[in-house]
Amino acid sequence: LGFWSPSPLQGFIHQFPSPPFTPSSDSILWFEALCVAAALDFAASRDHPPSRLAVFTDNLNTVQIFDSLRADSTYNPILFFCFNILLHSPISLHVYHIPGECNIVADALSRSLFRVAAYYQPLLKLHVFTPPPLSPG
């Protein structure tokens, strides 16, 4: 997992946690949604949280679940976590699709290609993050 923030110039990485189900082809959606939750958690924890947060992902299904608020019940803990933050913060969250090749730094971080991320953002400071705690849906 990986995400980055251009302001401040910080990148966040985590080795894949275990999903709450048997891994399958849908696992990437769970990881991508969890990464959106981690980015939102990071933004909300700043001294001055933003009023608007744009998160870019190369996974259209992730965009759709945050746009429609509809997903398989497996993803409810992630959505509940996010919307609990949104209810108690000034943040308006928008999740947008972007091809991975256009989001080079995030794509490199998610693949543990740290030299590639550093090539495109030489001043990027990397941190290890812990995924947000999720309650059963």
PDB file of all heavy atoms in Angstrom, residues 91-121:
ATOM      1  N   ILE A  91     -13.773  18.001   6.308  1.00  0.00           N
ATOM      2  CA  ILE A  91     -13.287  17.504   5.018  1.00  0.00           C
ATOM      3  C   ILE A  91     -14.431  17.048   4.112  1.00  0.00           C
ATOM      4  O   ILE A  91     -15.315  16.313   4.527  1.00  0.00           O
ATOM      5  CB  ILE A  91     -12.299  16.343   5.220  1.00  0.00           C
ATOM      6  CG1 ILE A  91     -11.075  16.811   6.021  1.00  0.00           C
ATOM      7  CG2 ILE A  91     -11.867  15.757   3.881  1.00  0.00           C
ATOM      8  CD1 ILE A  91     -10.127  15.694   6.407  1.00  0.00           C
ATOM      9  N   SER A  92     -14.354  17.479   2.865  1.00  0.00           N
ATOM     10  CA  SER A  92     -15.202  16.967   1.792  1.00  0.00           C
ATOM     11  C   SER A  92     -14.302  16.090   0.925  1.00  0.00           C
ATOM     12  O   SER A  92     -13.340  16.578   0.331  1.00  0.00           O
ATOM     13  CB  SER A  92     -15.777  18.132   0.982  1.00  0.00           C
ATOM     14  OG  SER A  92     -16.481  17.650  -0.132  1.00  0.00           O
ATOM     15  N   LEU A  93     -14.579  14.795   0.884  1.00  0.00           N
ATOM     16  CA  LEU A  93     -13.740  13.829   0.179  1.00  0.00           C
ATOM     17  C   LEU A  93     -14.247  13.601  -1.235  1.00  0.00           C
ATOM     18  O   LEU A  93     -15.441  13.391  -1.452  1.00  0.00           O
ATOM     19  CB  LEU A  93     -13.735  12.497   0.939  1.00  0.00           C
ATOM     20  CG  LEU A  93     -13.008  11.326   0.272  1.00  0.00           C
ATOM     21  CD1 LEU A  93     -11.505  11.593   0.192  1.00  0.00           C
ATOM     22  CD2 LEU A  93     -13.295  10.031   1.042  1.00  0.00           C
ATOM     23  N   HIS A  94     -13.327  13.605  -2.187  1.00  0.00           N
ATOM     24  CA  HIS A  94     -13.627  13.274  -3.582  1.00  0.00           C
ATOM     25  C   HIS A  94     -12.570  12.287  -4.052  1.00  0.00           C
ATOM     26  O   HIS A  94     -11.375  12.546  -3.916  1.00  0.00           O
ATOM     27  CB  HIS A  94     -13.612  14.518  -4.472  1.00  0.00           C
ATOM     28  CG  HIS A  94     -14.631  15.526  -4.060  1.00  0.00           C
ATOM     29  ND1 HIS A  94     -15.949  15.454  -4.469  1.00  0.00           N
ATOM     30  CD2 HIS A  94     -14.542  16.590  -3.240  1.00  0.00           C
ATOM     31  CE1 HIS A  94     -16.613  16.454  -3.926  1.00  0.00           C
ATOM     32  NE2 HIS A  94     -15.795  17.151  -3.179  1.00  0.00           N
ATOM     33  N   VAL A  95     -13.003  11.160  -4.574  1.00  0.00           N
ATOM     34  CA  VAL A  95     -12.104  10.124  -5.067  1.00  0.00           C
ATOM     35  C   VAL A  95     -12.218  10.099  -6.587  1.00  0.00           C
ATOM     36  O   VAL A  95     -13.318   9.967  -7.132  1.00  0.00           O
ATOM     37  CB  VAL A  95     -12.447   8.744  -4.457  1.00  0.00           C
ATOM     38  CG1 VAL A  95     -11.484   7.683  -4.970  1.00  0.00           C
ATOM     39  CG2 VAL A  95     -12.405   8.817  -2.930  1.00  0.00           C
ATOM     40  N   TYR A  96     -11.089  10.261  -7.251  1.00  0.00           N
ATOM     41  CA  TYR A  96     -11.049  10.373  -8.712  1.00  0.00           C
ATOM     42  C   TYR A  96     -10.212   9.245  -9.311  1.00  0.00           C
ATOM     43  O   TYR A  96      -9.255   8.766  -8.697  1.00  0.00           O
ATOM     44  CB  TYR A  96     -10.414  11.702  -9.139  1.00  0.00           C
ATOM     45  CG  TYR A  96     -11.170  12.917  -8.680  1.00  0.00           C
ATOM     46  CD1 TYR A  96     -10.733  13.667  -7.586  1.00  0.00           C
ATOM     47  CD2 TYR A  96     -12.316  13.338  -9.346  1.00  0.00           C
ATOM     48  CE1 TYR A  96     -11.411  14.801  -7.174  1.00  0.00           C
ATOM     49  CE2 TYR A  96     -13.004  14.469  -8.938  1.00  0.00           C
ATOM     50  CZ  TYR A  96     -12.548  15.194  -7.857  1.00  0.00           C
ATOM     51  OH  TYR A  96     -13.224  16.310  -7.453  1.00  0.00           O
ATOM     52  N   HIS A  97     -10.547   8.886 -10.532  1.00  0.00           N
ATOM     53  CA  HIS A  97      -9.758   7.903 -11.267  1.00  0.00           C
ATOM     54  C   HIS A  97      -8.615   8.597 -12.006  1.00  0.00           C
ATOM     55  O   HIS A  97      -8.793   9.680 -12.576  1.00  0.00           O
ATOM     56  CB  HIS A  97     -10.620   7.145 -12.283  1.00  0.00           C
ATOM     57  CG  HIS A  97      -9.834   6.137 -13.037  1.00  0.00           C
ATOM     58  ND1 HIS A  97      -9.361   6.364 -14.303  1.00  0.00           N
ATOM     59  CD2 HIS A  97      -9.409   4.898 -12.675  1.00  0.00           C
ATOM     60  CE1 HIS A  97      -8.682   5.295 -14.706  1.00  0.00           C
ATOM     61  NE2 HIS A  97      -8.699   4.396 -13.737  1.00  0.00           N
ATOM     62  N   ILE A  98      -7.465   7.959 -11.966  1.00  0.00           N
ATOM     63  CA  ILE A  98      -6.316   8.404 -12.738  1.00  0.00           C
ATOM     64  C   ILE A  98      -5.547   7.151 -13.146  1.00  0.00           C
ATOM     65  O   ILE A  98      -5.365   6.253 -12.319  1.00  0.00           O
ATOM     66  CB  ILE A  98      -5.420   9.386 -11.930  1.00  0.00           C
ATOM     67  CG1 ILE A  98      -4.281   9.946 -12.775  1.00  0.00           C
ATOM     68  CG2 ILE A  98      -4.892   8.723 -10.670  1.00  0.00           C
ATOM     69  CD1 ILE A  98      -3.497  11.055 -12.096  1.00  0.00           C
ATOM     70  N   PRO A  99      -5.129   7.035 -14.402  1.00  0.00           N
ATOM     71  CA  PRO A  99      -4.338   5.862 -14.784  1.00  0.00           C
ATOM     72  C   PRO A  99      -3.038   5.803 -13.972  1.00  0.00           C
ATOM     73  O   PRO A  99      -2.442   6.838 -13.654  1.00  0.00           O
ATOM     74  CB  PRO A  99      -4.049   6.095 -16.271  1.00  0.00           C
ATOM     75  CG  PRO A  99      -5.093   7.060 -16.725  1.00  0.00           C
ATOM     76  CD  PRO A  99      -5.405   7.917 -15.534  1.00  0.00           C
ATOM     77  N   GLY A 100      -2.633   4.601 -13.608  1.00  0.00           N
ATOM     78  CA  GLY A 100      -1.419   4.421 -12.811  1.00  0.00           C
ATOM     79  C   GLY A 100      -0.202   5.095 -13.417  1.00  0.00           C
ATOM     80  O   GLY A 100       0.614   5.683 -12.705  1.00  0.00           O
ATOM     81  N   GLU A 101      -0.100   5.061 -14.753  1.00  0.00           N
ATOM     82  CA  GLU A 101       1.073   5.675 -15.396  1.00  0.00           C
ATOM     83  C   GLU A 101       1.059   7.201 -15.305  1.00  0.00           C
ATOM     84  O   GLU A 101       2.065   7.851 -15.558  1.00  0.00           O
ATOM     85  CB  GLU A 101       1.206   5.225 -16.853  1.00  0.00           C
ATOM     86  CG  GLU A 101       0.050   5.574 -17.748  1.00  0.00           C
ATOM     87  CD  GLU A 101      -1.056   4.525 -17.787  1.00  0.00           C
ATOM     88  OE1 GLU A 101      -1.032   3.581 -16.993  1.00  0.00           O
ATOM     89  OE2 GLU A 101      -1.949   4.678 -18.642  1.00  0.00           O
ATOM     90  N   CYS A 102      -0.077   7.777 -14.915  1.00  0.00           N
ATOM     91  CA  CYS A 102      -0.169   9.225 -14.712  1.00  0.00           C
ATOM     92  C   CYS A 102      -0.027   9.608 -13.237  1.00  0.00           C
ATOM     93  O   CYS A 102       0.032  10.785 -12.908  1.00  0.00           O
ATOM     94  CB  CYS A 102      -1.499   9.754 -15.243  1.00  0.00           C
ATOM     95  SG  CYS A 102      -1.693   9.562 -17.025  1.00  0.00           S
ATOM     96  N   ASN A 103       0.001   8.630 -12.378  1.00  0.00           N
ATOM     97  CA  ASN A 103       0.149   8.853 -10.943  1.00  0.00           C
ATOM     98  C   ASN A 103       1.395   8.091 -10.495  1.00  0.00           C
ATOM     99  O   ASN A 103       1.340   7.172  -9.677  1.00  0.00           O
ATOM    100  CB  ASN A 103      -1.106   8.363 -10.205  1.00  0.00           C
ATOM    101  CG  ASN A 103      -1.225   8.946  -8.814  1.00  0.00           C
ATOM    102  OD1 ASN A 103      -0.437   9.785  -8.403  1.00  0.00           O
ATOM    103  ND2 ASN A 103      -2.207   8.478  -8.078  1.00  0.00           N
ATOM    104  N   ILE A 104       2.524   8.484 -11.067  1.00  0.00           N
ATOM    105  CA  ILE A 104       3.767   7.722 -10.978  1.00  0.00           C
ATOM    106  C   ILE A 104       4.242   7.533  -9.546  1.00  0.00           C
ATOM    107  O   ILE A 104       4.641   6.438  -9.163  1.00  0.00           O
ATOM    108  CB  ILE A 104       4.856   8.399 -11.840  1.00  0.00           C
ATOM    109  CG1 ILE A 104       4.432   8.374 -13.309  1.00  0.00           C
ATOM    110  CG2 ILE A 104       6.197   7.712 -11.655  1.00  0.00           C
ATOM    111  CD1 ILE A 104       5.280   9.235 -14.215  1.00  0.00           C
ATOM    112  N   VAL A 105       4.189   8.569  -8.743  1.00  0.00           N
ATOM    113  CA  VAL A 105       4.714   8.472  -7.379  1.00  0.00           C
ATOM    114  C   VAL A 105       3.886   7.486  -6.554  1.00  0.00           C
ATOM    115  O   VAL A 105       4.433   6.590  -5.909  1.00  0.00           O
ATOM    116  CB  VAL A 105       4.788   9.858  -6.706  1.00  0.00           C
ATOM    117  CG1 VAL A 105       5.236   9.738  -5.253  1.00  0.00           C
ATOM    118  CG2 VAL A 105       5.746  10.766  -7.474  1.00  0.00           C
ATOM    119  N   ALA A 106       2.572   7.624  -6.571  1.00  0.00           N
ATOM    120  CA  ALA A 106       1.719   6.705  -5.803  1.00  0.00           C
ATOM    121  C   ALA A 106       1.871   5.274  -6.307  1.00  0.00           C
ATOM    122  O   ALA A 106       1.949   4.329  -5.506  1.00  0.00           O
ATOM    123  CB  ALA A 106       0.264   7.147  -5.870  1.00  0.00           C
ATOM    124  N   ASP A 107       1.925   5.106  -7.614  1.00  0.00           N
ATOM    125  CA  ASP A 107       2.078   3.771  -8.179  1.00  0.00           C
ATOM    126  C   ASP A 107       3.411   3.158  -7.747  1.00  0.00           C
ATOM    127  O   ASP A 107       3.471   1.993  -7.372  1.00  0.00           O
ATOM    128  CB  ASP A 107       1.971   3.837  -9.707  1.00  0.00           C
ATOM    129  CG  ASP A 107       1.756   2.475 -10.337  1.00  0.00           C
ATOM    130  OD1 ASP A 107       0.812   1.776  -9.921  1.00  0.00           O
ATOM    131  OD2 ASP A 107       2.539   2.111 -11.230  1.00  0.00           O
ATOM    132  N   ALA A 108       4.474   3.955  -7.756  1.00  0.00           N
ATOM    133  CA  ALA A 108       5.793   3.464  -7.336  1.00  0.00           C
ATOM    134  C   ALA A 108       5.786   3.094  -5.852  1.00  0.00           C
ATOM    135  O   ALA A 108       6.322   2.045  -5.464  1.00  0.00           O
ATOM    136  CB  ALA A 108       6.861   4.523  -7.615  1.00  0.00           C
ATOM    137  N   LEU A 109       5.171   3.919  -5.015  1.00  0.00           N
ATOM    138  CA  LEU A 109       5.122   3.613  -3.586  1.00  0.00           C
ATOM    139  C   LEU A 109       4.344   2.325  -3.330  1.00  0.00           C
ATOM    140  O   LEU A 109       4.759   1.494  -2.518  1.00  0.00           O
ATOM    141  CB  LEU A 109       4.488   4.770  -2.807  1.00  0.00           C
ATOM    142  CG  LEU A 109       5.301   6.061  -2.743  1.00  0.00           C
ATOM    143  CD1 LEU A 109       4.504   7.146  -2.022  1.00  0.00           C
ATOM    144  CD2 LEU A 109       6.646   5.827  -2.062  1.00  0.00           C
ATOM    145  N   SER A 110       3.233   2.141  -4.036  1.00  0.00           N
ATOM    146  CA  SER A 110       2.418   0.948  -3.808  1.00  0.00           C
ATOM    147  C   SER A 110       3.128  -0.319  -4.268  1.00  0.00           C
ATOM    148  O   SER A 110       2.794  -1.414  -3.817  1.00  0.00           O
ATOM    149  CB  SER A 110       1.064   1.079  -4.504  1.00  0.00           C
ATOM    150  OG  SER A 110       1.207   1.003  -5.901  1.00  0.00           O
ATOM    151  N   ARG A 111       4.106  -0.180  -5.132  1.00  0.00           N
ATOM    152  CA  ARG A 111       4.865  -1.335  -5.625  1.00  0.00           C
ATOM    153  C   ARG A 111       6.243  -1.446  -4.956  1.00  0.00           C
ATOM    154  O   ARG A 111       7.087  -2.224  -5.394  1.00  0.00           O
ATOM    155  CB  ARG A 111       5.028  -1.245  -7.140  1.00  0.00           C
ATOM    156  CG  ARG A 111       3.726  -1.276  -7.888  1.00  0.00           C
ATOM    157  CD  ARG A 111       3.932  -0.981  -9.375  1.00  0.00           C
ATOM    158  NE  ARG A 111       2.691  -0.762 -10.067  1.00  0.00           N
ATOM    159  CZ  ARG A 111       1.947  -1.728 -10.584  1.00  0.00           C
ATOM    160  NH1 ARG A 111       2.320  -2.973 -10.471  1.00  0.00           N
ATOM    161  NH2 ARG A 111       0.823  -1.435 -11.194  1.00  0.00           N
ATOM    162  N   SER A 112       6.479  -0.619  -3.931  1.00  0.00           N
ATOM    163  CA  SER A 112       7.760  -0.586  -3.209  1.00  0.00           C
ATOM    164  C   SER A 112       8.930  -0.222  -4.118  1.00  0.00           C
ATOM    165  O   SER A 112      10.051  -0.662  -3.914  1.00  0.00           O
ATOM    166  CB  SER A 112       8.039  -1.917  -2.492  1.00  0.00           C
ATOM    167  OG  SER A 112       7.021  -2.188  -1.555  1.00  0.00           O
ATOM    168  N   LEU A 113       8.666   0.608  -5.127  1.00  0.00           N
ATOM    169  CA  LEU A 113       9.711   1.101  -6.030  1.00  0.00           C
ATOM    170  C   LEU A 113      10.138   2.489  -5.553  1.00  0.00           C
ATOM    171  O   LEU A 113       9.860   3.511  -6.176  1.00  0.00           O
ATOM    172  CB  LEU A 113       9.189   1.139  -7.470  1.00  0.00           C
ATOM    173  CG  LEU A 113       8.738  -0.211  -8.037  1.00  0.00           C
ATOM    174  CD1 LEU A 113       8.084  -0.034  -9.392  1.00  0.00           C
ATOM    175  CD2 LEU A 113       9.915  -1.181  -8.119  1.00  0.00           C
ATOM    176  N   PHE A 114      10.824   2.528  -4.426  1.00  0.00           N
ATOM    177  CA  PHE A 114      11.130   3.790  -3.763  1.00  0.00           C
ATOM    178  C   PHE A 114      12.100   4.660  -4.555  1.00  0.00           C
ATOM    179  O   PHE A 114      12.009   5.883  -4.502  1.00  0.00           O
ATOM    180  CB  PHE A 114      11.644   3.530  -2.351  1.00  0.00           C
ATOM    181  CG  PHE A 114      10.733   2.628  -1.559  1.00  0.00           C
ATOM    182  CD1 PHE A 114      11.213   1.485  -0.962  1.00  0.00           C
ATOM    183  CD2 PHE A 114       9.371   2.906  -1.464  1.00  0.00           C
ATOM    184  CE1 PHE A 114      10.362   0.649  -0.261  1.00  0.00           C
ATOM    185  CE2 PHE A 114       8.514   2.077  -0.763  1.00  0.00           C
ATOM    186  CZ  PHE A 114       9.016   0.941  -0.155  1.00  0.00           C
ATOM    187  N   ARG A 115      12.987   4.058  -5.301  1.00  0.00           N
ATOM    188  CA  ARG A 115      13.912   4.850  -6.133  1.00  0.00           C
ATOM    189  C   ARG A 115      13.163   5.572  -7.256  1.00  0.00           C
ATOM    190  O   ARG A 115      13.507   6.684  -7.618  1.00  0.00           O
ATOM    191  CB  ARG A 115      15.017   3.972  -6.697  1.00  0.00           C
ATOM    192  CG  ARG A 115      16.003   3.561  -5.642  1.00  0.00           C
ATOM    193  CD  ARG A 115      17.179   2.865  -6.229  1.00  0.00           C
ATOM    194  NE  ARG A 115      18.140   2.583  -5.164  1.00  0.00           N
ATOM    195  CZ  ARG A 115      19.100   1.717  -5.269  1.00  0.00           C
ATOM    196  NH1 ARG A 115      19.259   1.031  -6.395  1.00  0.00           N
ATOM    197  NH2 ARG A 115      19.927   1.514  -4.274  1.00  0.00           N
ATOM    198  N   VAL A 116      12.152   4.929  -7.793  1.00  0.00           N
ATOM    199  CA  VAL A 116      11.338   5.571  -8.834  1.00  0.00           C
ATOM    200  C   VAL A 116      10.590   6.760  -8.234  1.00  0.00           C
ATOM    201  O   VAL A 116      10.576   7.849  -8.810  1.00  0.00           O
ATOM    202  CB  VAL A 116      10.344   4.569  -9.469  1.00  0.00           C
ATOM    203  CG1 VAL A 116       9.390   5.272 -10.426  1.00  0.00           C
ATOM    204  CG2 VAL A 116      11.102   3.451 -10.179  1.00  0.00           C
ATOM    205  N   ALA A 117       9.984   6.563  -7.062  1.00  0.00           N
ATOM    206  CA  ALA A 117       9.286   7.668  -6.393  1.00  0.00           C
ATOM    207  C   ALA A 117      10.245   8.815  -6.119  1.00  0.00           C
ATOM    208  O   ALA A 117       9.916   9.982  -6.347  1.00  0.00           O
ATOM    209  CB  ALA A 117       8.636   7.184  -5.096  1.00  0.00           C
ATOM    210  N   ALA A 118      11.459   8.500  -5.660  1.00  0.00           N
ATOM    211  CA  ALA A 118      12.458   9.534  -5.352  1.00  0.00           C
ATOM    212  C   ALA A 118      12.946  10.238  -6.616  1.00  0.00           C
ATOM    213  O   ALA A 118      13.276  11.423  -6.578  1.00  0.00           O
ATOM    214  CB  ALA A 118      13.632   8.922  -4.604  1.00  0.00           C
ATOM    215  N   TYR A 119      12.958   9.541  -7.737  1.00  0.00           N
ATOM    216  CA  TYR A 119      13.365  10.162  -8.993  1.00  0.00           C
ATOM    217  C   TYR A 119      12.383  11.273  -9.382  1.00  0.00           C
ATOM    218  O   TYR A 119      12.780  12.346  -9.818  1.00  0.00           O
ATOM    219  CB  TYR A 119      13.449   9.100 -10.102  1.00  0.00           C
ATOM    220  CG  TYR A 119      13.782   9.671 -11.451  1.00  0.00           C
ATOM    221  CD1 TYR A 119      15.107   9.959 -11.789  1.00  0.00           C
ATOM    222  CD2 TYR A 119      12.796   9.942 -12.392  1.00  0.00           C
ATOM    223  CE1 TYR A 119      15.428  10.498 -13.029  1.00  0.00           C
ATOM    224  CE2 TYR A 119      13.102  10.471 -13.630  1.00  0.00           C
ATOM    225  CZ  TYR A 119      14.421  10.754 -13.941  1.00  0.00           C
ATOM    226  OH  TYR A 119      14.725  11.294 -15.164  1.00  0.00           O
ATOM    227  N   TYR A 120      11.081  11.000  -9.220  1.00  0.00           N
ATOM    228  CA  TYR A 120      10.059  11.971  -9.603  1.00  0.00           C
ATOM    229  C   TYR A 120       9.779  13.011  -8.523  1.00  0.00           C
ATOM    230  O   TYR A 120       9.305  14.102  -8.837  1.00  0.00           O
ATOM    231  CB  TYR A 120       8.765  11.257 -10.010  1.00  0.00           C
ATOM    232  CG  TYR A 120       8.914  10.574 -11.343  1.00  0.00           C
ATOM    233  CD1 TYR A 120       9.255   9.232 -11.431  1.00  0.00           C
ATOM    234  CD2 TYR A 120       8.765  11.284 -12.527  1.00  0.00           C
ATOM    235  CE1 TYR A 120       9.429   8.615 -12.658  1.00  0.00           C
ATOM    236  CE2 TYR A 120       8.935  10.681 -13.756  1.00  0.00           C
ATOM    237  CZ  TYR A 120       9.267   9.342 -13.818  1.00  0.00           C
ATOM    238  OH  TYR A 120       9.453   8.748 -15.032  1.00  0.00           O
ATOM    239  N   GLN A 121      10.063  12.674  -7.274  1.00  0.00           N
ATOM    240  CA  GLN A 121       9.874  13.611  -6.161  1.00  0.00           C
ATOM    241  C   GLN A 121      11.096  13.474  -5.241  1.00  0.00           C
ATOM    242  O   GLN A 121      11.038  12.830  -4.195  1.00  0.00           O
ATOM    243  CB  GLN A 121       8.580  13.325  -5.388  1.00  0.00           C
ATOM    244  CG  GLN A 121       7.326  13.684  -6.127  1.00  0.00           C
ATOM    245  CD  GLN A 121       7.204  15.183  -6.353  1.00  0.00           C
ATOM    246  OE1 GLN A 121       7.724  16.003  -5.621  1.00  0.00           O
ATOM    247  NE2 GLN A 121       6.490  15.550  -7.404  1.00  0.00           N
TER     248      GLN A 121
END
